[in-house]
Amino acid sequence: MEHLIKKAARDLVDVDNAVALTGAGISIESGIPPFRGKGGLWERIDPMMAHIDTFLNDPEKVWRVLMNEMKDVIDMARPNDAHLGLYRLEELGILKTIITQNVDGLHQMAGSRDVIEFHGSFAWQRCMECDSRCETRDVDMTQIPPRCLCGGIYRPDCVFFGEQIPPRYFQRSQQAASGCEVMLVVGTSAIIQPACLMPMTAAESGAKVIEINPDSTPLTNSVSDYLIRGPAGPILNRIVDEIEKILAKPEPN
Ligand code: OAD
């Protein structure tokens, strides 16, 4: 693994337009469970709970079974070394944009400035009647489902299964993916479309694709140039430390 960490540092050090695609795995070290795999949300809860039709048919049930738990877990979570590592890469002028499938807001909390929330954000709720928005922390949760002042039901400003990705997020992500020289793919099983198409767009445009994940994914050995196998926090820490070491060395005459 050590040689791959050094390789990633060398691949990143001279770049000023790297992009990261992140998924639930990057927030595991912050205490937020992933969707798939061991301990994943879909082990306990039927993924159909996250389908828009289920929500429209029975918003109270989806709020009770899924949203309430998500809210509590996200409220408690703080950025971990992986979020902070990506922020450090941005500060070094290497990382330009993060495309995240996560709705937890932890990249922004870590300081990252250009974050495309591909699946929306749980930080905001939208009234299904009058379309006004309200910060989740200001929503009155004493009644479930929570309601707007107009009486309409609030839904999180997230993309449910069965819904389109907001076109502006999709277009910006494609632009970022096709314009980068390196794409870091961190903590995603890379099976949910269209997010998982971004590494392909990057690779087709000539970018190096580096995965950081304890497990292989459908991108491994096909779209990715290499996989650094392990947890995102320590690995990103090490990569950034290596880059800082390279940058601190005086240029040879
Ligand atoms: P998944 O739960 O599908 O995948 C999590 C990934 O994180 C897996 O590949 C794990 O191997 C990896 N992982 C586990 N521990 C890790 C660690 N410490 N560091 C790095 N990686 C680790 O999550 P996503 O790929 O984000 O969509 O799922 C994609 C979408 O499917 C979600 O945005 C959500 C979902 O169902 C919607 O709700 C629309």
Side-chain angles (χ1 to χ4, degrees):
M1 181 168 90
E2 200 48 33
H3 78 284
L4 288 180
I5 285 173
K6 291 205 160 102
K7 188 171 158 65
R10 284 196 305 275
D11 285 338
L12 284 162
V13 70
D14 292 326
V15 164
D16 65 1
N17 57 5
V19 167
L21 171 70
T22 68
I26 200 168
S27 293
I28 287 177
E29 292 159 61
S30 295
I32 301 180
F35 296 98
R36 298 172 185 80
K38 205 161 163 275
L41 203 60
W42 302 151
E43 259 184 358
R44 289 181 293 116
I45 296 174
D46 180 352
M48 275 308 285
M49 271 298 149
H51 197 286
I52 187 62
D53 291 345
T54 315
F55 186 77
L56 294 177
N57 284 338
D58 195 347
E60 181 182 343
K61 185 169 177 196
V62 176
W63 263 104
R64 285 195 192 286
V65 175
L66 181 63
M67 303 301 177
N68 255 347
E69 173 173 328
M70 273 179 77
K71 183 180 179 303
D72 290 347
V73 174
I74 291 175
D75 273 354
M76 300 278 293
R78 294 294 169 267
N80 65 56
D81 282 351
H83 301 103
L84 295 168
L86 292 182
Y87 169 64
R88 286 167 70 200
L89 282 180
E90 181 183 316
E91 288 286 276
L92 290 168
I94 292 170
L95 186 77
K96 212 165 165 190
T97 301
I98 298 174
I99 305 165
T100 188
Q101 297 163 86
N102 300 343
V103 298
D104 55 33
L106 293 181
H107 287 300
Q108 294 92 324
M109 210 188 277
S112 294
R113 280 175 289 259
D114 190 17
V115 182
I116 303 170
E117 293 180 303
F118 204 78
H119 290 162
S121 165
F122 200 78
W124 289 87
Q125 301 292 323
R126 191 150 40 86
C127 172
M128 289 173 47
E129 286 298 324
C130 71
D131 213 36
S132 66
R133 290 168 90 235
C134 179
E135 278 200 72
T136 303
R137 63 166 170 242
D138 296 332
V139 168
D140 175 11
M141 293 288 171
T142 52
Q143 55 170 345
I144 296 290
R147 286 176 187 273
C148 172
L149 287 177
C150 81
I153 290 172
Y154 274 128
R155 59 158 290 169
D157 219 354
C158 302
V159 176
F160 282 86
F161 285 133
E163 288 190 303
Q164 288 274 335
I165 304 298
R168 64 187 185 285
Y169 296 162
F170 185 71
Q171 280 155 12
R172 275 218 61 220
S173 300
Q174 281 216 305
Q175 243 171 23
S178 59
C180 70
E181 285 168 85
V182 177
M183 178 175 273
L184 292 170
V185 181
V186 188
T188 176
S189 57
I191 59 170
I192 294 297
Q193 291 204 22
C196 69
L197 302 178
M198 297 303 147
M200 291 173 209
T201 302
E204 278 163 11
S205 311
K208 236 173 215 159
V209 176
I210 306 170
E211 276 189 279
I212 301 175
N213 197 314
D215 290 321
S216 53
T217 76
L219 303 175
T220 315
N221 297 325
S222 56
V223 175
S224 313
D225 287 81
Y226 51 97
L227 162 70
I228 310 181
R229 206 180 268 277
I235 290 176
L236 275 164
N237 252 340
R238 285 282 300 109
I239 292 173
V240 184
D241 288 349
E242 275 303 315
I243 291 174
E244 285 176 342
K245 255 198 258 169
I246 299 172
L247 292 174
K249 271 194 197 140
E251 292 270 327
N253 286 327

